[in-house]
């Protein structure tokens, strides 16, 4: 499989604070052509990545940050081969 980028689906901003809300779901997206750290337009489960945040570069397993293990998208995990 080509390189993947971890992206965060955010909830609404909370309590009047600026910026994104809490991380609702962690997705995997293919990297943009020719760029290993830039997300492509859709996640592996088919969601639009436009409003999602990109995680810092990751290598190894698991493909997602462990602190968000309870929020991993099951369809993306299946696509990555860890579902």
């Amino acid at each position: 499989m080509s390189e993947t980028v971890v992206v965060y689906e955010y909830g609404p901003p909370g309590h009047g604070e600026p910026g994104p809300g809490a991380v609702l779901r962690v997705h995997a997206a293919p990297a943009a052509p020719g760029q290993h750290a830039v997300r492509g337009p859709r996640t592996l489960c088919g969601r639009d990545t436009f409003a999602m945040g990109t995680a810092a570069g990751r290598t190894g397993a698991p493909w997602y940050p462990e602190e968000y293990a309870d929020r991993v998208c099951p369809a993306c995990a299946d696509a990555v081969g860890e579902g």
Side-chain angles (χ1 to χ4, degrees):
M1 187 171 128
S2 64
E3 291 186 71
T4 58
V5 178
V6 176
V7 292
Y8 300 128
E9 178 182 350
Y10 295 113
H15 309 297
E17 296 177 14
V23 173
L24 294 179
R25 188 70 75 186
V26 178
H27 295 274
Q35 301 190 33
H36 67 278
V38 177
R39 68 183 183 259
R42 297 240 174 241
T43 64
L44 296 179
C45 68
R47 300 205 50 156
D48 187 343
T49 63
F50 176 75
M52 294 185 183
T54 304
R58 297 194 49 80
T59 58
W63 60 268
Y64 52 85
E66 291 189 47
E67 64 267 27
Y68 296 122
D70 62 334
R71 296 174 217 172
V72 170
C73 169
C76 286
D78 285 344
V80 171
E82 293 186 5

